[in-house]
Amino acid sequence: MPSKVTLTTLYKMKEKGEKITALTAYDYPFARIVDEAGIHLILIGDSLGMVIQGGNSTLPVTMDEMLYHTRIVAAGAKTAMIVGDMPFMSYQTDIREAVNNAGRFLKEADAQAVKLEGGAAVCDTITAISEAGIPVQAHIGLTPQSVHQMGGFKVQRDEDRLMEDALNVESAGAFSVVLEGIPVGISEKITAALKIPTIGIGAGPHCDGQILVFHDMLGINPGHVPKFVKQYATVGEETKRGLAKYIQEVQSGEFPGKEHCY
Ligand code: KIV
């Protein structure tokens, strides 16, 4: 069995130019599948506020919800690195509270690391959490928790600010940084400038790795598919086909058959 993915694994992959694969997961059965498929890093994203809870943003997600989902994902993943996403207002107001909340992901939910959004503004928080022995993944560019400040989920194009944010989170102690909604040329320059691995979502092919939201890439939820998503399966449609057959067989008396009876 392959050994657990650690920070060292990710640093070595960047050094060798091997692409890192990352994906979100939110529960035990799908975490098992993702892990067994060989994905290197599983993020329990606060995107669960949208793809699991059906909300319009990630803002209402709570620490308790994140800890619950992180714990049940960690139970299903033997090899992938488990990263818990710090929800809105769990790290923005107070650095001590941020360190405590980050620690809860490791103590109570078996995560190996946490992720938080923001650049220069959250550097002191990144340093304090890292100095407590908790690896931090930063997240810059389109940061969904700032949806109202950005005026919507918009691609971020201010190259100087993005480069400054990336260099700052690295200096602050982040082990990796998610680049979201950033033009290809800018994320290429950031990836070349950083020693830590960049993981892109809507940030083009030059990042050290890629991440997608599980439900988006497998076609589970109906509706708009953003430009940066590639759908690798149509699980929602396949599930509906299975359910339609079940309904038809129950109503026609075909199920349960003799083989399903005691
Ligand atoms: O919440 C999430 O799923 C994320 C990824 C999209 C990077 O932050």
Side-chain angles (χ1 to χ4, degrees), residues 231-250:
Q231 256 186 12
Y232 286 87
T234 49
V235 172
E237 285 310 313
E238 180 60 18
T239 306
K240 272 194 207 157
R241 269 194 289 279
L243 297 178
K245 184 119 181 77
Y246 171 66
I247 290 167
Q248 178 257 313
E249 289 192 3
V250 168

Side-chain angles (χ1 to χ4, degrees), residues 93 98 147 208:
T93 51
V147 58
D208 298 306

Side-chain angles (χ1 to χ4, degrees), residues 143-163:
T143 45
Q145 291 176 13
S146 309
V147 58
H148 298 306
Q149 200 172 44
M150 292 182 301
F153 296 104
K154 291 185 179 155
V155 173
Q156 302 297 299
R157 301 175 185 278
D158 182 341
E159 180 167 344
D160 291 344
R161 176 164 177 212
L162 290 165
M163 182 59 85

Side-chain angles (χ1 to χ4, degrees), residues 115 137-141 176-180 197-201 211:
K115 177 173 84 58
Q137 183 170 52
H139 180 163
I140 64 167
S176 163
V177 56
V178 170
L179 306 181
E180 178 164 358
T198 61
I199 308 293
I201 173 161
I211 185 162

Side-chain angles (χ1 to χ4, degrees), residues 24 26 43 45-47 85 115 117 139 178 180 201 211 213:
T24 67
Y26 312 98
L43 171 72
D46 64 354
S47 50
D85 207 3
K115 177 173 84 58
E117 296 182 9
H139 180 163
V178 170
E180 178 164 358
I201 173 161
I211 185 162
V213 169

